[in-house]
Every structure is written in C-alpha cells, then in structure tokens.
Amino acid sequence: MKQSSLQSPWLSGRKVLGTLIIILGASYAIQQLVLLMQQQQNVRYAFYAGMAAAAATAGGALPALFLRRLSQKLHDVMLGFGAGVMLAACMFSLIVPALAILEQTGTSAWRSSGSVALAVLLGAAVMLLVERLVPHQHFIKDEDRARGLKLRRSWLFVFAIILHNMPEGLAIGASYASGDIAAATALATGISIQDIPEGLVVAMALLAAGYSRTLAVGMAVFSGLTEPVMAVIGAAVLGDSSLLLPWGLALAAGAMLFVISHEMIPESHRQGHELPATSGLMLGFVLMMLLDTALG
C-alpha cells in the first residue's frame, strides 16, 4: 500500500510534466509558424492550400456518418480518379517545372533530365524506406478487414493514411516554393478535388473494419492535417534555396508516383473493376491536366 501510494503521486507528476511539455512544444511550434507565415508569402500560401486540402478530406469523410456502405465499384472508381489526378500533378505540376527551372540555369538537357530522374527515384526510395520503417496497417485490403481489428490498433491505420498524404502535402509546398502561384494553385486545387473522394474512401474503409462512425470520420479528418504540415515544411525548406527547388519538386513527384503505383492502382484493380477504375484514372488525369494548363 505504501509503495503504491508513493508511486501514484510520481506517476501523476510525470503525466502533468508530459502534458506541460506537449503544450509548450505546441505553443512554440504555432508561434514559429505564425512568424514564418508573416515573413514568407509562399509559406503562407502553402499553409492555406494545405488547409484547403485537409478541409476537402474532412468534407469527403462526412457522408460516412450517414452512408451504410460504399459499393466496391464506386470505391475503385474513386481510387482510380485520385490516382489520375496525382499522376497528372506529378507530370505537369512537378516534373515539368523542375526541368524548366534547371534549363533556365543553363544546365544541359541531358543533365537536367538526369538530375530530375535521379530525384524522382530518390523520392520513391524515401517513401519505400518510410513505408518499411513506420509501423502501419494497410486499411483498404480485405485480409486486414477480416482480422477483427481492435481499437488499440487504430493508430496503425492513422500512420498508413499519413504516409499516403505526406507526398501530397510536400508537393503543395514545393509548388508554392517555386514562386509560380498560379501553377501552385492549380496543383493544390487538383489535390483538394481528389481528397474529397479519398476522405470518403478512408472513412468507409475504417467503418467496414468495425470502427464507429464517429471514430472513422474523425480519423479520416485527422489524417488530412498531414497535408498543411508537409506543405509548410516543403515551402519553408525549398523556398530558401533555388538549388534545392527542382530537386524538391522532382522528389515530391517520385514520392507521389510510389503511392500511385504501390497502393492506389493495385487496390483499384484488385476486385476485378479494372475498366471502371481506369476510366476514373483517365477522368482524373484529364481534369488535373486542364486545371494545370488553364490556371497555370
């Protein structure tokens, strides 16, 4: 009894200290973010665009509060549509601008192409490494749905969604760091559009895995907050160095291509709906291409 009474105040003190450290750390981070946004216009725009993408994810997840289920065919079309938007964004909003920036510096065509190609591969390799190192649960596969997932594993789903959203946020930040606001806005608009069905797919997948409606929607909404964080990091880091900018754009493209090929396209084809999923991909690709050429 004495030992337990001695441990209780100690444990309570540690909890209070931990909470205080978290509050102070969050306050400092918010203060630095406000200062950064005041000093750098591109970071401010990237943050707003990232928040818009997060809001789109949240808006897409909300119907899960009322829907019973999402048909597998519609699920696959939505995944294909998102893959198409991201694929066009990789090409027109990230890789092509990266090549143009390098060519403007007088770099030869072969060297520019080689540098961008290397950065694309590096971005994919980074995503592969993160995917291997960070514990997470692939939330959209039947074999995982059938395991009777428990609440304590919810963070594995969150980590999976965060890994999926990281390249999108980084792409937004890198695009605004380039200084081409129109092109960056087109990219952010396309990503936000594809985040709407993505938010619904994530929420419905979690709902199918046995989570409550409130928790499924809440986790989908929370996952979208990755995008403004990565957008700010991308804009802040790349905006200070014109040398790093084309590499950052191409690296973001490689990371997005990894997600498209490793996760989205295989999942959209897994249930035999290749044609609807491919139609969704084509529609998403064309929509993003039109946004990029019209706004950029």
Side-chain angles (χ1 to χ4, degrees), residues 34-275:
V34 171
L35 289 175
L36 195 60
M37 290 172 62
Q38 290 175 344
Q39 295 170 358
Q40 298 187 31
Q41 175 179 291
N42 290 340
V43 173
R44 184 166 65 251
Y45 288 158
F47 175 76
Y48 293 153
M51 288 300 297
T57 302
L62 289 179
L65 292 171
F66 314 103
L67 294 176
R68 285 194 171 185
R69 64 184 298 272
L70 193 65
S71 73
Q72 188 62 48
K73 181 178 290 188
L74 181 58
H75 172 279
D76 294 340
V77 170
M78 287 181 171
L79 280 178
F81 176 82
V85 171
M86 292 174 66
L87 190 61
C90 288
M91 177 58 66
F92 298 105
S93 300
L94 297 172
I95 293 177
V96 170
L99 289 169
I101 291 171
L102 286 173
E103 289 175 1
Q104 288 172 2
T105 63
T107 308
S108 66
W110 275 104
R111 188 171 179 180
S112 298
S113 300
S115 298
V116 170
L118 182 61
V120 168
L121 294 177
L122 180 61
V126 169
M127 280 304 298
L128 174 61
L129 180 63
V130 172
E131 203 248 0
R132 293 289 175 85
L133 294 180
V134 177
H136 64 285
Q137 186 75 40
H138 289 278
F139 55 90
I140 53 180
K141 295 182 179 177
D142 280 346
E143 59 266 26
D144 293 325
R145 293 177 184 175
R147 290 177 185 170
L149 300 171
K150 303 299 182 181
L151 181 63
R152 64 177 179 271
R153 299 181 66 186
S154 62
W155 284 106
L156 296 180
F157 285 99
V158 174
F159 289 151
I161 303 166
I162 287 174
L163 289 178
H164 181 90
N165 286 343
M166 282 174 59
E168 297 176 13
L170 180 60
I172 291 174
S175 188
Y176 275 102
S178 68
D180 190 340
I181 303 301
T185 301
L187 171 66
T189 301
I191 288 178
S192 296
I193 290 173
Q194 73 94 22
D195 276 341
I196 296 174
E198 182 179 283
L200 179 59
V201 166
V202 168
M204 295 303 292
L206 292 171
L207 193 61
Y211 292 93
S212 69
R213 292 183 184 275
T214 303
L215 183 59
V217 172
M219 289 169 64
V221 171
F222 176 79
S223 73
L225 297 177
T226 307
E227 297 193 39
V229 173
M230 293 303 298
V232 167
I233 292 174
V237 172
L238 300 176
D240 290 335
S241 175
S242 58
L243 296 177
L244 288 178
L245 180 57
W247 280 82
L249 290 168
L251 189 143
M256 289 177 67
L257 285 171
F258 178 87
V259 171
I260 294 167
S261 178
H262 183 68
E263 187 92 14
M264 301 181 74
I265 292 179
E267 171 60 20
S268 68
H269 288 198
R270 187 171 54 85
Q271 294 290 342
H273 300 138
E274 294 90 347
L275 182 57

